[in-house]
């Protein structure tokens, strides 16, 4: 059975959210072989035990935890070593992790902690990528125009980085991790989405490098009317946006019901809602 591979950045604040995200993926793919690659800046002993129990509970699941700080020190000298502080956020870690996955992993789905899986990802995984490096959901026309102006992009589309399907050979061939380092260094303090902006700047105008994904893989939902997008049939991944952080609080009754159902089915079922929200805010600020 072919394994589906997922790469996620994780730290102590985001660990419960990552656990619930992983639970939602497993529940949507019963019996399928799933591998979660976690680039970790550390987590509490309690969360470590829960992830260990997770792998024992779901025999079709493998969890590989990578020491992110140690891996940064092992980046080839030719790539240049960026200051560790620039990468110390789960939003940045998956991009570094791509350099250290096992050689047999040819493609990987990269996700952020503030996602929830509510549908099958088989079509995403089996997508014909051709020579593209990655596949992503584009911003809608109005938001895309605004983002392109801010980054002075004259060609290409502006895309989300919350869910990416990446072909590792193409990623290597284009030296994207190395090229991202300098861009992220300059944007870390003035951008809410340094990796997303860096990827868009790097790949703008490179024909065929980015494939468009349907919006069902990044259905954006949030508490405000500007952020709220109604769910549609076929939605597979929800990206929850909230002014207080990557939580699901106040995201609408239907969204919160989905979140609570996944939480109740996870090993974090007893985690206090107040503590989850506190960690969500801390994770968003990191």
């Amino acid at each position: 059975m072919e394994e589906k591979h997922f790469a996620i950045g994780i730290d102590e604040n985001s660990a419960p959210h990552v656990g619930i995200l992983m639970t939602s993926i497993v529940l949507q793919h019963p019996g399928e072989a799933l591998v979660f690659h976690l680039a970790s800046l550390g987590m509490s002993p309690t969360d470590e035990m829960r992830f260990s129990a997770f792998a024992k509970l779901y025999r079709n699941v493998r969890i590989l935890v990578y020491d992110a700080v140690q891996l940064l020190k092992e980046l080839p000298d030719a790539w240049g070593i960026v200051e560790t502080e620039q990468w110390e956020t789960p939003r940045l870690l998956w991009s570094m992790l791509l350099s250290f996955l096992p050689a047999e992993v040819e493609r990987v789905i990269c996700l952020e902690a503030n996602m929830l899986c509510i549908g099958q990802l088989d079509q995403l995984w089996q997508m014909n990528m051709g020579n593209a490096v990655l596949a992503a959901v584009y911003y809608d026309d109005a938001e895309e125009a605004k983002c392109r102006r801010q980054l002075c992009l004259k060609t290409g589309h502006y895309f989300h980085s919350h869910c990416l399907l990446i072909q590792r050979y193409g990623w290597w061939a284009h030296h994207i991790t190395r090229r991202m380092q300098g861009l992220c260094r300059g944007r870390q303090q003035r951008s809410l989405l340094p990796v997303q902006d860096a990827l868009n700047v790097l790949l703008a105008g490179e024909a065929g490098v980015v494939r468009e994904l349907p919006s069902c893989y990044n259905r954006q939902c949030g508490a405000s009317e500007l952020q709220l997008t109604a769910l549609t049939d076929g939605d597979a991944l929800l990206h929850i946006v909230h002014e207080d952080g990557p939580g699901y609080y106040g995201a609408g009754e239907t969204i919160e019901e989905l979140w609570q159902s996944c939480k109740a089915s996870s090993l974090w079922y007893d985690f206090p809602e107040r503590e989850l929200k506190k960690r969500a805010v801390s994770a968003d600020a990191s």
Side-chain angles (χ1 to χ4, degrees), residues 15-30:
H17 294 275
V18 171
I20 295 170
L21 166 61
M22 289 168 52
T23 300
S24 70
I25 295 172
V26 170
L27 293 178
Q28 292 293 333
H29 303 82

Side-chain angles (χ1 to χ4, degrees), residues 1-4 29-34 60:
M1 181 185 300
E2 182 184 13
E3 293 180 321
K4 290 184 178 70
H29 303 82
E32 295 188 30
L34 307 173
N60 57 310

Side-chain angles (χ1 to χ4, degrees), residues 5 25 28 73 99 102 124 143 151 225 246 280 286:
H5 292 267
I25 295 172
Q28 292 293 333
K73 298 176 182 178
S99 302
L124 171 63
E143 284 297 314
L151 296 177
E225 291 183 2
S286 63

Side-chain angles (χ1 to χ4, degrees), residues 232-283:
T232 61
D233 291 339
D235 283 341
L237 284 166
L238 302 183
H239 167 210
I240 310 299
V241 180
H242 194 279
E243 60 185 3
D244 291 332
Y248 297 77
Y249 318 95
E253 183 177 356
T254 302
I255 307 301
E256 193 156 354
E257 287 174 355
L258 290 170
W259 159 255
Q260 292 294 348
S261 176
C262 288
K263 177 177 180 287
S265 300
S266 77
L267 296 178
W268 287 263
Y269 67 93
D270 60 343
F271 212 87
E273 290 293 324
R274 180 174 298 180
E275 179 63 18
L276 272 176
K277 183 172 184 179
K278 178 181 177 182
R279 290 198 184 194
V281 175
S282 298

Side-chain angles (χ1 to χ4, degrees), residues 194-259:
V195 167
Q196 182 167 295
D197 283 350
L199 281 174
N200 276 277
V201 169
L202 283 176
L203 302 180
E206 295 192 22
V209 173
V210 179
R211 290 286 303 274
E212 182 179 7
L213 287 178
S215 58
C216 65
Y217 297 117
N218 190 72
R219 181 63 65 192
Q220 187 164 301
C221 304
S224 73
E225 291 183 2
L226 291 176
Q227 295 170 334
L228 181 59
T229 302
L231 297 183
T232 61
D233 291 339
D235 283 341
L237 284 166
L238 302 183
H239 167 210
I240 310 299
V241 180
H242 194 279
E243 60 185 3
D244 291 332
Y248 297 77
Y249 318 95
E253 183 177 356
T254 302
I255 307 301
E256 193 156 354
E257 287 174 355
L258 290 170
W259 159 255

Side-chain angles (χ1 to χ4, degrees), residues 144-156 158 187 190 197 200-201 204:
E144 181 183 59
K146 176 181 177 182
C147 293
R148 289 179 61 192
R149 285 196 302 271
Q150 290 175 340
L151 296 177
C152 299
L153 302 180
K154 297 182 179 180
T155 58
Y158 188 86
R187 298 178 186 279
R190 55 188 175 89
D197 283 350
N200 276 277
V201 169

Side-chain angles (χ1 to χ4, degrees), residues 36-180:
F36 294 99
H37 302 269
L38 306 182
S40 174
L41 289 168
M43 63 185 84
S44 70
T46 299
D47 284 326
E48 288 181 353
M49 289 189 292
R50 293 186 198 231
F51 280 109
S52 178
F54 190 107
K56 294 177 181 177
L57 176 63
Y58 300 105
R59 297 303 180 91
N60 57 310
V61 171
R62 290 196 294 135
I63 301 175
L64 303 179
V65 181
Y66 304 75
D67 183 334
V69 174
Q70 182 59 38
L71 291 185
L72 279 170
K73 298 176 182 178
E74 297 176 13
L75 282 172
D77 291 339
W79 284 17
I81 303 300
V82 297
E83 294 83 354
T84 300
E85 291 79 7
Q86 295 177 193
W87 297 82
E88 288 190 345
T89 165
R91 287 175 174 165
L92 301 176
L93 292 176
W94 63 257
S95 54
M96 176 273 297
L97 182 58
L98 291 173
S99 302
F100 298 97
L101 298 180
E104 64 269 18
V105 180
E106 297 180 356
R107 59 172 52 189
V108 59
I109 298 173
C110 300
L111 298 172
E112 292 190 3
N114 58 337
M115 307 288 285
L116 195 69
C117 183
I118 63 170
Q120 284 276 326
L121 300 178
D122 292 349
Q123 290 187 1
L124 171 63
W125 181 255
Q126 296 164 3
M127 180 179 183
N128 181 2
M129 293 280 285
N131 294 321
V133 173
L134 60 85
V137 176
Y138 293 166
Y139 269 51
D140 61 35
D141 292 341
E143 284 297 314
E144 181 183 59
K146 176 181 177 182
C147 293
R148 289 179 61 192
R149 285 196 302 271
Q150 290 175 340
L151 296 177
C152 299
L153 302 180
K154 297 182 179 180
T155 58
H157 291 275
Y158 188 86
F159 54 85
H160 292 274
S161 66
H162 306 87
C163 169
L164 298 173
L165 175 63
I166 292 178
Q167 292 203 110
R168 292 183 68 211
Y169 176 79
W171 187 273
W172 291 334
H174 286 76
H175 307 290
I176 293 179
T177 298
R178 174 179 57 79
R179 294 166 63 195
M180 283 175 59

